[in-house]
Amino acid sequence: LAGAEAPQAARSLLAEAARGVVYMARRGLFHYLRIQWRDGLFRFLLDAPTAVDLERVVVVPGPRVAFAQTDYNRHFTVREIVRDSERGFYNLVHASGLAHLEHYFRVMFFASRLEARFDAELLEGEAYEMRCRVAEITGPLVDVEVAFHSLRGGRDDDAAAFRVVWRLMLVVDPRRKRMYDFERGELAGGAAAVAPPAVARRASSRGRKFARRGRHVTSASVALVLVLVGAYALVPVGVRLALPLPEMVADALADLSPREAVVAFACLGVWLRTHPGRRPLRSSVDVLLPLG
């Protein structure tokens, strides 16, 4: 990221890793992993995009309207439509490479506005898909459109049913009111705002780059595996006997307790995720839009 420095973490690395482990434990490990799987995080970890592509259209299958998503009249409810659209825009964030910005600045996208339009009804059991794209960019604001299409007559005869637009922004420093400007590819706002570059929209390639450690092995995938290995140390003894890997790790690390192993692997995983490897990406992630 040219001209943009990641802010210093308010918490220590150990405290941040422990906070992540506690959060996953409170949400339920398998429930949390299922949410991340549906949001496209694992595909991002295994094969992270090498640049931000804001012109990409991501198709997310429904696949069908479930009974729990309907009202008494068997219609897809507004509450569940908005909830499912969140899954759509997260898939777009991961597939387009926008998630690189979240990981680099260590903040998540903030939704400042939500608009919805409903043109048709979807009934229980009806097949549908979400077509997600970046509809508009205005400085630090990104409008992500999640369009629900009914597949009642098949993919060749689909019909638009709903349209949900999420207005997102990446607030890097709330106290100094600094946000990431997607048109200029740099931080903007606050007292220490960065001046716009001389060349419009295409930044220098000398900025900090994200790393890959192979086609299917990235720093993020290594971090995820290490965090899961540390989490195994908290399972009952019977499970650890069936899966001896945590015991082997404990022997290698001498008197390290299971809870300390969780923190140690989490710290190592976070470090690998936030530090580049030997092979940089082909282009910096702040190359957002083509010229013209």
mmCIF file of all heavy atoms in Angstrom, residues 245-279:
data_model
loop_
_atom_site.group_PDB
_atom_site.id
_atom_site.type_symbol
_atom_site.label_atom_id
_atom_site.label_comp_id
_atom_site.label_asym_id
_atom_site.label_seq_id
_atom_site.Cartn_x
_atom_site.Cartn_y
_atom_site.Cartn_z
ATOM 1 N N LEU A 245 -1.641 -35.342 17.632
ATOM 2 C CA LEU A 245 -0.836 -34.195 17.232
ATOM 3 C C LEU A 245 -0.611 -33.196 18.364
ATOM 4 O O LEU A 245 0.514 -32.741 18.569
ATOM 5 C CB LEU A 245 -1.474 -33.504 16.028
ATOM 6 C CG LEU A 245 -0.734 -32.272 15.505
ATOM 7 C CD1 LEU A 245 0.675 -32.654 15.068
ATOM 8 C CD2 LEU A 245 -1.492 -31.650 14.345
ATOM 9 N N PRO A 246 -1.658 -32.818 19.151
ATOM 10 C CA PRO A 246 -1.390 -31.876 20.248
ATOM 11 C C PRO A 246 -0.394 -32.396 21.270
ATOM 12 O O PRO A 246 0.383 -31.625 21.836
ATOM 13 C CB PRO A 246 -2.777 -31.667 20.874
ATOM 14 C CG PRO A 246 -3.715 -31.974 19.753
ATOM 15 C CD PRO A 246 -3.070 -33.084 18.997
ATOM 16 N N GLU A 247 -0.420 -33.744 21.547
ATOM 17 C CA GLU A 247 0.539 -34.297 22.492
ATOM 18 C C GLU A 247 1.962 -34.200 21.938
ATOM 19 O O GLU A 247 2.906 -33.939 22.673
ATOM 20 C CB GLU A 247 0.180 -35.756 22.782
ATOM 21 C CG GLU A 247 -1.202 -35.944 23.397
ATOM 22 C CD GLU A 247 -1.294 -35.289 24.756
ATOM 23 O OE1 GLU A 247 -0.242 -35.142 25.414
ATOM 24 O OE2 GLU A 247 -2.403 -34.915 25.163
ATOM 25 N N MET A 248 2.123 -34.420 20.633
ATOM 26 C CA MET A 248 3.446 -34.299 20.035
ATOM 27 C C MET A 248 3.949 -32.866 20.127
ATOM 28 O O MET A 248 5.125 -32.614 20.398
ATOM 29 C CB MET A 248 3.379 -34.750 18.568
ATOM 30 C CG MET A 248 3.023 -36.209 18.385
ATOM 31 S SD MET A 248 2.627 -36.596 16.665
ATOM 32 C CE MET A 248 4.111 -36.038 15.871
ATOM 33 N N VAL A 249 3.027 -31.924 19.926
ATOM 34 C CA VAL A 249 3.413 -30.519 20.032
ATOM 35 C C VAL A 249 3.793 -30.182 21.467
ATOM 36 O O VAL A 249 4.765 -29.466 21.718
ATOM 37 C CB VAL A 249 2.263 -29.618 19.545
ATOM 38 C CG1 VAL A 249 2.588 -28.156 19.787
ATOM 39 C CG2 VAL A 249 1.998 -29.863 18.063
ATOM 40 N N ALA A 250 3.011 -30.719 22.430
ATOM 41 C CA ALA A 250 3.319 -30.454 23.837
ATOM 42 C C ALA A 250 4.687 -31.014 24.225
ATOM 43 O O ALA A 250 5.430 -30.400 24.990
ATOM 44 C CB ALA A 250 2.223 -31.044 24.726
ATOM 45 N N ASP A 251 5.040 -32.209 23.701
ATOM 46 C CA ASP A 251 6.361 -32.778 23.983
ATOM 47 C C ASP A 251 7.468 -31.919 23.379
ATOM 48 O O ASP A 251 8.535 -31.751 23.979
ATOM 49 C CB ASP A 251 6.428 -34.200 23.426
ATOM 50 C CG ASP A 251 5.499 -35.148 24.181
ATOM 51 O OD1 ASP A 251 5.113 -34.796 25.323
ATOM 52 O OD2 ASP A 251 5.134 -36.198 23.619
ATOM 53 N N ALA A 252 7.205 -31.403 22.196
ATOM 54 C CA ALA A 252 8.233 -30.596 21.539
ATOM 55 C C ALA A 252 8.450 -29.272 22.256
ATOM 56 O O ALA A 252 9.549 -28.721 22.255
ATOM 57 C CB ALA A 252 7.855 -30.349 20.082
ATOM 58 N N LEU A 253 7.393 -28.779 22.896
ATOM 59 C CA LEU A 253 7.490 -27.492 23.582
ATOM 60 C C LEU A 253 7.628 -27.657 25.093
ATOM 61 O O LEU A 253 7.260 -26.776 25.859
ATOM 62 C CB LEU A 253 6.260 -26.643 23.256
ATOM 63 C CG LEU A 253 6.068 -26.312 21.778
ATOM 64 C CD1 LEU A 253 4.804 -25.505 21.564
ATOM 65 C CD2 LEU A 253 7.269 -25.563 21.231
ATOM 66 N N ALA A 254 8.137 -28.813 25.490
ATOM 67 C CA ALA A 254 8.448 -29.093 26.901
ATOM 68 C C ALA A 254 7.203 -28.979 27.776
ATOM 69 O O ALA A 254 6.233 -29.684 27.569
ATOM 70 C CB ALA A 254 9.576 -28.180 27.384
ATOM 71 N N ASP A 255 7.234 -28.109 28.759
ATOM 72 C CA ASP A 255 6.172 -28.033 29.757
ATOM 73 C C ASP A 255 5.062 -27.048 29.385
ATOM 74 O O ASP A 255 4.378 -26.522 30.267
ATOM 75 C CB ASP A 255 6.774 -27.631 31.119
ATOM 76 C CG ASP A 255 7.758 -28.658 31.622
ATOM 77 O OD1 ASP A 255 7.575 -29.849 31.296
ATOM 78 O OD2 ASP A 255 8.699 -28.263 32.323
ATOM 79 N N LEU A 256 4.872 -26.790 28.131
ATOM 80 C CA LEU A 256 3.847 -25.844 27.708
ATOM 81 C C LEU A 256 2.456 -26.424 27.976
ATOM 82 O O LEU A 256 2.139 -27.530 27.548
ATOM 83 C CB LEU A 256 4.001 -25.544 26.210
ATOM 84 C CG LEU A 256 3.240 -24.338 25.678
ATOM 85 C CD1 LEU A 256 3.760 -23.055 26.299
ATOM 86 C CD2 LEU A 256 3.362 -24.266 24.161
ATOM 87 N N SER A 257 1.646 -25.689 28.734
ATOM 88 C CA SER A 257 0.300 -26.151 29.055
ATOM 89 C C SER A 257 -0.605 -26.007 27.830
ATOM 90 O O SER A 257 -0.285 -25.274 26.893
ATOM 91 C CB SER A 257 -0.273 -25.346 30.222
ATOM 92 O OG SER A 257 -0.482 -24.005 29.830
ATOM 93 N N PRO A 258 -1.778 -26.707 27.817
ATOM 94 C CA PRO A 258 -2.682 -26.581 26.657
ATOM 95 C C PRO A 258 -3.122 -25.158 26.383
ATOM 96 O O PRO A 258 -3.159 -24.726 25.240
ATOM 97 C CB PRO A 258 -3.858 -27.484 27.059
ATOM 98 C CG PRO A 258 -3.268 -28.486 27.994
ATOM 99 C CD PRO A 258 -2.213 -27.746 28.756
ATOM 100 N N ARG A 259 -3.482 -24.406 27.443
ATOM 101 C CA ARG A 259 -3.922 -23.027 27.213
ATOM 102 C C ARG A 259 -2.791 -22.153 26.697
ATOM 103 O O ARG A 259 -2.998 -21.268 25.863
ATOM 104 C CB ARG A 259 -4.496 -22.444 28.500
ATOM 105 C CG ARG A 259 -5.763 -23.152 28.959
ATOM 106 C CD ARG A 259 -6.387 -22.473 30.156
ATOM 107 N NE ARG A 259 -7.563 -23.182 30.610
ATOM 108 C CZ ARG A 259 -8.775 -23.041 30.089
ATOM 109 N NH1 ARG A 259 -8.956 -22.191 29.095
ATOM 110 N NH2 ARG A 259 -9.795 -23.725 30.546
ATOM 111 N N GLU A 260 -1.574 -22.394 27.189
ATOM 112 C CA GLU A 260 -0.437 -21.641 26.665
ATOM 113 C C GLU A 260 -0.166 -22.010 25.214
ATOM 114 O O GLU A 260 0.289 -21.173 24.425
ATOM 115 C CB GLU A 260 0.799 -21.904 27.519
ATOM 116 C CG GLU A 260 0.697 -21.321 28.928
ATOM 117 C CD GLU A 260 1.858 -21.750 29.804
ATOM 118 O OE1 GLU A 260 2.518 -22.754 29.441
ATOM 119 O OE2 GLU A 260 2.106 -21.110 30.832
ATOM 120 N N ALA A 261 -0.439 -23.284 24.854
ATOM 121 C CA ALA A 261 -0.251 -23.702 23.465
ATOM 122 C C ALA A 261 -1.208 -22.965 22.543
ATOM 123 O O ALA A 261 -0.842 -22.566 21.436
ATOM 124 C CB ALA A 261 -0.455 -25.218 23.335
ATOM 125 N N VAL A 262 -2.453 -22.769 23.010
ATOM 126 C CA VAL A 262 -3.423 -22.021 22.202
ATOM 127 C C VAL A 262 -2.910 -20.611 21.924
ATOM 128 O O VAL A 262 -2.932 -20.122 20.789
ATOM 129 C CB VAL A 262 -4.784 -21.974 22.916
ATOM 130 C CG1 VAL A 262 -5.746 -21.074 22.149
ATOM 131 C CG2 VAL A 262 -5.374 -23.368 23.030
ATOM 132 N N VAL A 263 -2.442 -19.946 22.971
ATOM 133 C CA VAL A 263 -1.959 -18.574 22.813
ATOM 134 C C VAL A 263 -0.719 -18.539 21.924
ATOM 135 O O VAL A 263 -0.567 -17.665 21.057
ATOM 136 C CB VAL A 263 -1.665 -17.957 24.195
ATOM 137 C CG1 VAL A 263 -1.070 -16.560 24.047
ATOM 138 C CG2 VAL A 263 -2.933 -17.900 25.037
ATOM 139 N N ALA A 264 0.185 -19.523 22.103
ATOM 140 C CA ALA A 264 1.419 -19.545 21.321
ATOM 141 C C ALA A 264 1.131 -19.726 19.839
ATOM 142 O O ALA A 264 1.671 -19.008 18.983
ATOM 143 C CB ALA A 264 2.336 -20.666 21.824
ATOM 144 N N PHE A 265 0.251 -20.685 19.514
ATOM 145 C CA PHE A 265 -0.071 -20.906 18.100
ATOM 146 C C PHE A 265 -0.851 -19.743 17.523
ATOM 147 O O PHE A 265 -0.693 -19.400 16.349
ATOM 148 C CB PHE A 265 -0.854 -22.202 17.951
ATOM 149 C CG PHE A 265 0.011 -23.434 18.018
ATOM 150 C CD1 PHE A 265 -0.113 -24.342 19.055
ATOM 151 C CD2 PHE A 265 0.952 -23.674 17.035
ATOM 152 C CE1 PHE A 265 0.678 -25.466 19.112
ATOM 153 C CE2 PHE A 265 1.765 -24.800 17.091
ATOM 154 C CZ PHE A 265 1.629 -25.702 18.121
ATOM 155 N N ALA A 266 -1.703 -19.136 18.328
ATOM 156 C CA ALA A 266 -2.450 -17.978 17.844
ATOM 157 C C ALA A 266 -1.505 -16.819 17.537
ATOM 158 O O ALA A 266 -1.647 -16.143 16.519
ATOM 159 C CB ALA A 266 -3.505 -17.559 18.866
ATOM 160 N N CYS A 267 -0.538 -16.588 18.418
ATOM 161 C CA CYS A 267 0.430 -15.513 18.177
ATOM 162 C C CYS A 267 1.239 -15.779 16.912
ATOM 163 O O CYS A 267 1.448 -14.884 16.084
ATOM 164 C CB CYS A 267 1.373 -15.380 19.378
ATOM 165 S SG CYS A 267 0.578 -14.752 20.886
ATOM 166 N N LEU A 268 1.709 -17.021 16.754
ATOM 167 C CA LEU A 268 2.475 -17.359 15.562
ATOM 168 C C LEU A 268 1.628 -17.225 14.308
ATOM 169 O O LEU A 268 2.084 -16.750 13.260
ATOM 170 C CB LEU A 268 3.022 -18.783 15.689
ATOM 171 C CG LEU A 268 3.939 -19.261 14.548
ATOM 172 C CD1 LEU A 268 5.137 -18.325 14.413
ATOM 173 C CD2 LEU A 268 4.401 -20.690 14.811
ATOM 174 N N GLY A 269 0.358 -17.620 14.420
ATOM 175 C CA GLY A 269 -0.529 -17.500 13.270
ATOM 176 C C GLY A 269 -0.766 -16.049 12.889
ATOM 177 O O GLY A 269 -0.745 -15.701 11.705
ATOM 178 N N VAL A 270 -1.008 -15.191 13.881
ATOM 179 C CA VAL A 270 -1.213 -13.769 13.595
ATOM 180 C C VAL A 270 0.046 -13.149 12.999
ATOM 181 O O VAL A 270 -0.016 -12.347 12.062
ATOM 182 C CB VAL A 270 -1.641 -13.024 14.877
ATOM 183 C CG1 VAL A 270 -1.654 -11.519 14.642
ATOM 184 C CG2 VAL A 270 -3.013 -13.495 15.324
ATOM 185 N N TRP A 271 1.199 -13.555 13.501
ATOM 186 C CA TRP A 271 2.443 -13.011 12.950
ATOM 187 C C TRP A 271 2.614 -13.411 11.499
ATOM 188 O O TRP A 271 2.984 -12.587 10.650
ATOM 189 C CB TRP A 271 3.628 -13.501 13.774
ATOM 190 C CG TRP A 271 4.935 -12.883 13.330
ATOM 191 C CD1 TRP A 271 5.482 -11.714 13.762
ATOM 192 C CD2 TRP A 271 5.843 -13.409 12.356
ATOM 193 N NE1 TRP A 271 6.667 -11.472 13.123
ATOM 194 C CE2 TRP A 271 6.923 -12.493 12.249
ATOM 195 C CE3 TRP A 271 5.850 -14.561 11.571
ATOM 196 C CZ2 TRP A 271 7.979 -12.710 11.384
ATOM 197 C CZ3 TRP A 271 6.901 -14.764 10.704
ATOM 198 C CH2 TRP A 271 7.957 -13.847 10.618
ATOM 199 N N LEU A 272 2.362 -14.657 11.172
ATOM 200 C CA LEU A 272 2.494 -15.105 9.791
ATOM 201 C C LEU A 272 1.489 -14.413 8.886
ATOM 202 O O LEU A 272 1.759 -14.165 7.715
ATOM 203 C CB LEU A 272 2.304 -16.624 9.714
ATOM 204 C CG LEU A 272 3.471 -17.468 10.249
ATOM 205 C CD1 LEU A 272 3.074 -18.932 10.285
ATOM 206 C CD2 LEU A 272 4.697 -17.285 9.373
ATOM 207 N N ARG A 273 0.305 -14.094 9.456
ATOM 208 C CA ARG A 273 -0.728 -13.466 8.624
ATOM 209 C C ARG A 273 -0.418 -12.007 8.320
ATOM 210 O O ARG A 273 -0.810 -11.482 7.289
ATOM 211 C CB ARG A 273 -2.100 -13.565 9.336
ATOM 212 C CG ARG A 273 -3.234 -13.030 8.501
ATOM 213 C CD ARG A 273 -3.412 -13.885 7.266
ATOM 214 N NE ARG A 273 -4.282 -13.249 6.297
ATOM 215 C CZ ARG A 273 -3.851 -12.494 5.313
ATOM 216 N NH1 ARG A 273 -2.567 -12.254 5.168
ATOM 217 N NH2 ARG A 273 -4.702 -11.979 4.444
ATOM 218 N N THR A 274 0.299 -11.350 9.203
ATOM 219 C CA THR A 274 0.529 -9.914 9.037
ATOM 220 C C THR A 274 1.924 -9.582 8.523
ATOM 221 O O THR A 274 2.232 -8.414 8.323
ATOM 222 C CB THR A 274 0.312 -9.189 10.375
ATOM 223 O OG1 THR A 274 1.166 -9.787 11.382
ATOM 224 C CG2 THR A 274 -1.135 -9.312 10.825
ATOM 225 N N HIS A 275 2.773 -10.585 8.294
ATOM 226 C CA HIS A 275 4.124 -10.317 7.801
ATOM 227 C C HIS A 275 4.291 -10.964 6.426
ATOM 228 O O HIS A 275 3.934 -12.122 6.247
ATOM 229 C CB HIS A 275 5.186 -10.877 8.759
ATOM 230 C CG HIS A 275 5.317 -10.072 10.002
ATOM 231 N ND1 HIS A 275 4.317 -10.038 10.971
ATOM 232 C CD2 HIS A 275 6.293 -9.248 10.445
ATOM 233 C CE1 HIS A 275 4.706 -9.250 11.958
ATOM 234 N NE2 HIS A 275 5.879 -8.757 11.663
ATOM 235 N N PRO A 276 4.833 -10.238 5.478
ATOM 236 C CA PRO A 276 4.984 -10.782 4.128
ATOM 237 C C PRO A 276 6.031 -11.874 4.068
ATOM 238 O O PRO A 276 6.936 -11.950 4.897
ATOM 239 C CB PRO A 276 5.403 -9.559 3.311
ATOM 240 C CG PRO A 276 6.015 -8.633 4.303
ATOM 241 C CD PRO A 276 5.281 -8.849 5.584
ATOM 242 N N GLY A 277 5.884 -12.740 3.085
ATOM 243 C CA GLY A 277 6.838 -13.829 2.891
ATOM 244 C C GLY A 277 7.900 -13.456 1.871
ATOM 245 O O GLY A 277 8.176 -12.283 1.615
ATOM 246 N N ARG A 278 8.470 -14.472 1.246
ATOM 247 C CA ARG A 278 9.568 -14.205 0.329
ATOM 248 C C ARG A 278 9.081 -13.773 -1.049
ATOM 249 O O ARG A 278 9.772 -13.063 -1.745
ATOM 250 C CB ARG A 278 10.420 -15.474 0.187
ATOM 251 C CG ARG A 278 11.077 -15.902 1.498
ATOM 252 C CD ARG A 278 11.877 -17.172 1.294
ATOM 253 N NE ARG A 278 12.521 -17.592 2.541
ATOM 254 C CZ ARG A 278 13.259 -18.688 2.650
ATOM 255 N NH1 ARG A 278 13.432 -19.462 1.593
ATOM 256 N NH2 ARG A 278 13.806 -18.998 3.799
ATOM 257 N N ARG A 279 7.900 -14.239 -1.446
ATOM 258 C CA ARG A 279 7.400 -13.947 -2.784
ATOM 259 C C ARG A 279 6.287 -12.914 -2.709
ATOM 260 O O ARG A 279 5.205 -13.196 -2.207
ATOM 261 C CB ARG A 279 6.875 -15.224 -3.443
ATOM 262 C CG ARG A 279 7.930 -16.275 -3.666
ATOM 263 C CD ARG A 279 7.299 -17.573 -4.121
ATOM 264 N NE ARG A 279 6.406 -17.379 -5.252
ATOM 265 C CZ ARG A 279 5.566 -18.303 -5.682
ATOM 266 N NH1 ARG A 279 5.471 -19.457 -5.043
ATOM 267 N NH2 ARG A 279 4.787 -18.067 -6.723
#
